[in-house]
Amino acid sequence: HIETATERVQDANVVGVVYGTDAALADEYLVFTSHHDHLGMNPDVEGDDKIFNGAADNALGVSGMLAMAEATIAAEPRRSIIFVATTAEEGGLLGSSGFVTDPPVPLRKIVANLNIDSPQAFGLTNDIGAIGLEMSSLGAAFAEVAHERGFKAVGDPNPNAGSFYRSDQVNFAKAGIPALYLQRGTDFVTPLSFDPEELRLRNYHQVTDEILPEWDLQGLVRDTKVFLEAALRAANADEQPRWVEGHEFEEEWKDLYGQ
């Protein structure tokens, strides 16, 4: 016997666009995503603060995306770039699903997705991560930018966790759109006095996910600059991004774009 309770709520994605400068490519779009929601409140927590603050997951990501949006205006990309603060990611990736299902531009005009969820909070690393690094030409551009800046791009540190399928980028990928998900590096330039992964997991989806004394946002600044540069290379390239040959979403890509 199973009893369920359902509640219908309405919420919104927040969307802005920087229009491209190339007459031939401006009607093609890259989409940045970063979810603005979290889990509401936890009435069972002792004390006055019962709010799931969601500082690392994912106010950091939204802040990084807003900074990239501002930088994009000055960059004047050839293709247009849409910035989406998605809702209900924690409720089952619903905001990004709604965006892909009912996009503000024709879906075949969206050529890439770049997602930011829980980025680096603890300083500079010698490496920089991206889930989906080996999957598409977006990953190749990301690795190229990292190499030029003197550090190493790494892929999913824990593939068994299925992280590519657990954040907003997967809804774009399922539609055939190449996607890349910015991830934290782990090889810190200055050794830390604490275990960053233990600290992250201790606060993950807890009311204690708030700005912490251990935060050092130099890593976030550096990582988002690399992520944006990789996106701008895709936005300015003659050819649109594509999956590597034989990838599981390649057939959807061919169907979407008529390849």
Side-chain angles (χ1 to χ4, degrees):
H1 176 72
I2 300 175
E3 294 184 2
T4 62
T6 61
E7 180 183 10
R8 183 178 294 274
V9 298
Q10 184 172 350
D11 201 3
N13 295 322
V14 182
V15 183
V17 60
V18 176
Y19 289 105
T21 58
D22 188 311
L25 295 176
D27 67 341
E28 294 183 1
Y29 298 81
L30 285 75
V31 176
F32 274 94
T33 49
S34 194
H35 72 89
H36 68 71
D37 68 297
H38 211 273
L39 298 174
M41 300 181 69
N42 185 350
D44 298 325
V45 172
E46 295 182 3
D48 296 330
D49 186 2
K50 302 179 184 299
I51 298 171
F52 287 102
N53 303 285
D57 180 17
N58 185 38
L60 271 184
V62 174
S63 299
M65 184 179 71
L66 291 174
M68 287 190 289
E70 185 175 4
T72 298
I73 297 172
E76 299 185 342
R78 296 175 69 195
R79 289 182 174 85
S80 300
I81 301 182
I82 298 174
F83 296 87
V84 188
T86 58
T87 187
E89 190 271 353
E90 304 289 3
L93 316 181
L94 301 181
S96 55
S97 176
F99 182 90
V100 171
T101 301
D102 186 20
V105 298
L107 194 63
R108 61 182 178 80
K109 294 294 186 179
I110 297 175
V111 300
N113 170 240
L114 300 109
N115 186 46
I116 311 170
D117 186 355
S118 306
Q120 181 62 262
F122 301 123
L124 290 168
T125 55
N126 294 308
D127 56 351
I128 181 170
I131 295 177
L133 186 71
E134 307 86 0
M135 296 181 179
S136 73
S137 58
L138 291 174
F142 181 85
E144 183 179 75
V145 174
H147 177 74
E148 291 172 3
R149 290 174 176 250
F151 43 88
K152 181 181 179 181
V154 295
D156 191 345
N158 185 18
N160 290 338
S163 297
F164 187 84
Y165 306 91
R166 294 172 52 195
S167 193
D168 285 324
Q169 70 282 336
V170 72
N171 284 317
F172 291 85
K174 289 190 295 185
I177 299 167
L180 192 66
Y181 171 16
L182 183 64
Q183 190 60 205
R184 303 168 297 277
T186 59
D187 179 16
F188 286 90
V189 173
T190 302
L192 304 180
S193 61
F194 57 93
D195 182 342
E197 188 63 10
E198 186 279 330
L199 183 61
R200 187 186 72 83
L201 292 175
R202 187 197 318 163
N203 297 301
Y204 178 68
H205 285 191
Q206 305 297 319
V207 298
T208 53
D209 181 5
E210 52 195 14
I211 297 175
L212 301 174
E214 293 86 354
W215 279 20
D216 176 353
L217 300 186
Q218 293 181 85
L220 174 65
V221 172
R222 192 278 310 272
D223 291 0
T224 52
K225 285 181 177 179
V226 173
F227 206 41
L228 177 59
E229 177 60 28
L232 289 174
R233 292 190 183 189
N236 292 326
D238 292 334
E239 300 295 327
Q240 71 181 71
R242 62 162 298 147
W243 299 105
V244 298
E245 186 175 352
H247 189 271
E248 63 178 301
F249 297 121
E250 186 183 28
E251 290 304 315
E252 287 81 1
W253 181 85
K254 291 178 178 178
D255 290 342
L256 179 61
Y257 302 115
Q259 300 290 332

